[in-house]
């Protein structure tokens, strides 16, 4: 097949490397870090076909403006004079329509179901245990507004063939008898699953090493050598690597890397935070989203529990805002009054940057003769990871793709 260079060592890059190697490519993965600290580690671990609504939705902009001055709010855009941010923001506002939401549902469902099917296949790989559980996902609500929203979401899900039901507070309480819930009810997506991201990433790295994929850390890409529409090699500070195909899967850094091959990619980093209790005194049986609080809670890998949230459109150089973490923990206690979690030390708080496209849809596609972009997955990067990797390999092999890639075209804003 030839030499494939994958730039980026998160779940999208590693999944791409896996499927490229499986189909006969000689694969090298370049990571600017050491493969251990990217956005794929600290997320909620959801594999969620239920997330068929893109980030750009009607009302999100006005809601964001209302939250602008609240240091604990779950959605925040840091105002700054930055051309890329302003351009992204204008495109985002233009995309936040009901029509866009309706058009995005099937493409988001299709790639999520493909990805879920592939993760389920991975569970049968000997020695690859990533604590995968298909228990579904509960979305708790406390207000009549979110209850009505949930009724609509159930109808939309059913139209898409996804298994979703409404539950009363008593029905949810029966599923979680060991904890007191302060909710009106919940929307239950039976189609969802979850896993433990640390085990997934470490296991995938092990498999790649065993199958001869070269994993090069501290290899930040500084440029590309082009020959017309063909990319010849990838440059790092240390070395130059010849390539027959190059995959750009650099998450929140993808705008800068894509510009090196002449592509203007509207993309902004969206910072999220999480706190993981390794040996949790609190128990939950099912993963849950707190709808009004915009917080995700995942019991994972036995006795661990993770609380995550916020979408902070900010510069990657802005120091973390720990009040956002206080906001996450405050929200948890409003729904689960017994979950009184003290504010952890800063060293025990995880934060990372999700790559947010200008319309909430990923960017997956070929942009030059031999350059493939795979980024912009926002909060569903892990959920769509395996599926995206498979699509990248199909593109590299010039095969027909498992899902229609037109909605994810990286050049759709050009």
């Amino acid at each position: 097949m030839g030499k494939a260079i994958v730039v980026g060592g998160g779940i999208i890059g590693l999944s791409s490397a896996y499927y490229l190697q499986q189909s006969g490519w000689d694969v090298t993965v370049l990571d600017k870090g050491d493969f251990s600290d990217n956005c794929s580690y600290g997320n909620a671990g959801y594999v969620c076909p239920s997330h068929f609504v893109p980030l750009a939705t009607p009302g999100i902009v006005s809601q964001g403006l209302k939250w602008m001055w609240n240091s604990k709010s779950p959605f925040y855009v840091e105002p700054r004079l930055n051309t890329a941010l302003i351009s992204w923001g204008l495109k985002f506002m233009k995309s936040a329509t009901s029509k866009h939401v309706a058009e995005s549902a099937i493409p988001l469902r299709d790639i999520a179901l493909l990805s879920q099917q592939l993760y389920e296949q991975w569970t049968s790989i000997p020695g690859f245990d990533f604590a995968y559980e298909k228990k579904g996902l509960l979305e708790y609500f406390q207000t009549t507004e979110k209850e009505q929203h949930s009724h609509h979401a159930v109808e939309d899900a059913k139209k898409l063939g996804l298994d979703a039901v409404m539950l009363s507070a008593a029905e949810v309480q029966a599923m979680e008898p060991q904890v007191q819930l302060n909710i009106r009810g919940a929307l239950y997506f039976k189609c969802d699953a979850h896993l433990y991201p640390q085990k997934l990433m470490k296991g995938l790295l092990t498999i790649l090493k065993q199958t001869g994929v070269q994993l090069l850390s501290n290899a930040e890409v500084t440029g590309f050598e082009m020959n017309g529409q063909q990319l010849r090699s990838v440059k790092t500070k240390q070395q130059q690597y010849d390539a027959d195909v190059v995959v750009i899967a650099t998450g929140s850094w993808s705008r800068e890397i894509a510009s090196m091959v002449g592509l203007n990619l509207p993309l902004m980093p969206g910072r999220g935070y999480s706190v993981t209790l390794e040996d949790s005194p609190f128990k939950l049986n099912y993963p849950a989203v707190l709808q009004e609080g915009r917080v995700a809670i995942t019991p994972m890998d036995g006795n661990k529990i993770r609380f995550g949230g916020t979408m902070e459109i900010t510069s990657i150089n802005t120091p973390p805002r720990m009040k956002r973490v206080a906001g996450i923990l405050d929200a948890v206690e409003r729904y689960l009054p017994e979950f009184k979690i003290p504010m952890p030390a800063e060293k025990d708080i995880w934060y990372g940057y999700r790559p947010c496209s200008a319309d909430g849809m990923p960017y997956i596609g070929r942009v030059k003769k031999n350059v493939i972009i795979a980024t912009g997955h926002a909060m569903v990067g892990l959920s769509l990871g395996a599926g995206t990797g498979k699509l990248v390999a199909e593109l590299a092999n010039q095969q027909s793709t498992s899902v229609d890639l037109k909605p994810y075209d990286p050049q759709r804003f050009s």
Side-chain angles (χ1 to χ4, degrees), residues 16-25 27 125 207 211 213 393 397:
S16 300
Y18 174 78
Y19 285 108
L20 286 164
Q21 191 280 328
Q22 292 283 302
S23 61
W25 289 85
V27 185
I125 297 172
I207 287 168
T211 52
V213 172
N397 298 325

Side-chain angles (χ1 to χ4, degrees), residues 115-124 130 132 134 191 193:
S115 202
Q116 188 178 65
Q117 184 191 338
L118 296 171
Y119 281 129
E120 283 170 11
Q121 287 175 14
W122 287 7
T123 61
S124 62
F130 46 97
Y132 183 87
K134 194 170 183 182
C191 52

Side-chain angles (χ1 to χ4, degrees), residues 283-299:
K283 296 285 176 254
L284 268 190
N285 295 325
Y286 295 84
V289 168
L290 315 180
Q291 289 199 45
E292 294 86 354
R294 295 191 176 222
V295 166
I297 306 177
T298 317

Side-chain angles (χ1 to χ4, degrees), residues 114 390-405:
L114 168 68
K390 177 82 168 165
L391 293 168
V392 164
E394 289 168 346
L395 278 169
N397 298 325
Q398 301 191 347
Q399 298 165 326
S400 59
T401 52
S402 298
V403 301
D404 176 17
L405 290 186

Side-chain angles (χ1 to χ4, degrees), residues 30-170:
L30 306 176
D31 191 57
K32 69 178 182 60
D34 64 357
F35 292 92
S36 72
D37 62 348
N38 57 56
C39 185
S40 303
Y41 285 87
N43 62 72
Y46 294 164
V47 179
C48 46
S50 65
H51 284 43
F52 54 81
V53 178
L55 189 61
T57 56
I60 186 90
V61 176
S62 56
Q63 184 65 72
L65 291 170
K66 283 179 200 160
W67 276 331
M68 206 75 156
W69 314 113
N70 178 356
S71 61
K72 291 183 178 181
S73 69
F75 182 71
Y76 173 74
V77 179
E78 181 183 33
R80 59 194 195 281
L81 279 174
N82 175 294
T83 316
L85 173 66
I86 293 163
S87 168
W88 177 90
L90 291 170
K91 290 180 177 74
F92 186 87
M93 285 191 280
K94 201 175 172 183
S95 300
T97 64
S98 304
K99 182 173 179 279
H100 172 63
V101 170
E103 287 170 351
S104 303
I106 287 172
L108 286 173
R109 174 204 66 184
D110 287 352
I111 188 172
L113 289 173
L114 168 68
S115 202
Q116 188 178 65
Q117 184 191 338
L118 296 171
Y119 281 129
E120 283 170 11
Q121 287 175 14
W122 287 7
T123 61
S124 62
I125 297 172
F128 191 13
D129 167 28
F130 46 97
Y132 183 87
E133 293 181 83
K134 194 170 183 182
K135 285 180 145 186
L137 175 67
L138 288 162
E139 295 200 359
Y140 299 164
F141 52 79
Q142 294 181 318
T143 58
T144 50
E145 183 200 349
K146 288 297 182 189
E147 185 171 11
Q148 286 167 351
H149 166 81
S150 297
H151 277 291
H152 293 306
V154 165
E155 293 312 309
D156 292 342
K158 284 179 176 168
K159 283 177 197 161
L160 293 166
L162 300 174
D163 193 357
V165 292
M166 289 289 285
L167 298 177
S168 67

